[in-house]
Amino acid sequence: MNSRHLRARLRQRLTRFARALTRTHRPVSPLDELVRIETDPAYRALFFSQLDAALDNRHAAEQSAVVEEIEAAAERLRALIRSPGDHERAA
């Protein structure tokens, strides 16, 4: 294969690749997505692993928010113990 032919093939592939990157993707209907999850084992595994990761992230964020609330409440209690007459500052 000569270099001119190789360059032409490379140019064709790069053009297809650029077109694929800029093409707007048609949204997938929920029913089509469900059918693909049920029929494609590899896609099902990917879907469930992404779902598990999203649930783990959400749980971690909720847990972090609860810890922050508890720490803020503990700080308010400490302030109340240090100066029991100043309720407004502790709240």
Side-chain angles (χ1 to χ4, degrees):
M1 187 180 303
N2 66 25
S3 65
R4 189 169 61 186
H5 183 138
L6 185 61
R7 281 184 289 197
R9 286 188 64 190
L10 181 60
R11 193 174 312 117
Q12 284 177 335
R13 288 184 184 211
L14 287 174
T15 302
R16 280 190 218 139
F17 183 65
R19 231 182 274 133
L21 287 176
T22 58
R23 186 178 310 144
T24 58
H25 296 286
R26 181 177 52 97
V28 177
S29 78
L31 182 60
D32 290 343
E33 183 77 7
L34 182 59
V35 168
R36 185 170 180 197
I37 291 167
E38 290 178 345
T39 59
D40 185 346
Y43 187 75
R44 182 183 317 120
L46 176 65
F47 175 82
F48 282 120
S49 68
Q50 290 174 341
L51 180 61
D52 287 342
L55 290 172
D56 288 343
N57 289 342
R58 184 174 183 172
H59 177 72
E62 289 172 353
Q63 192 174 21
S64 178
V66 168
V67 168
E68 288 177 12
E69 288 177 25
I70 291 171
E71 288 174 346
E75 187 56 40
R76 288 192 301 271
L77 284 172
R78 283 187 206 99
L80 184 61
I81 291 169
R82 283 191 294 263
S83 48
D86 193 7
H87 296 290
E88 288 79 30
R89 195 177 67 185

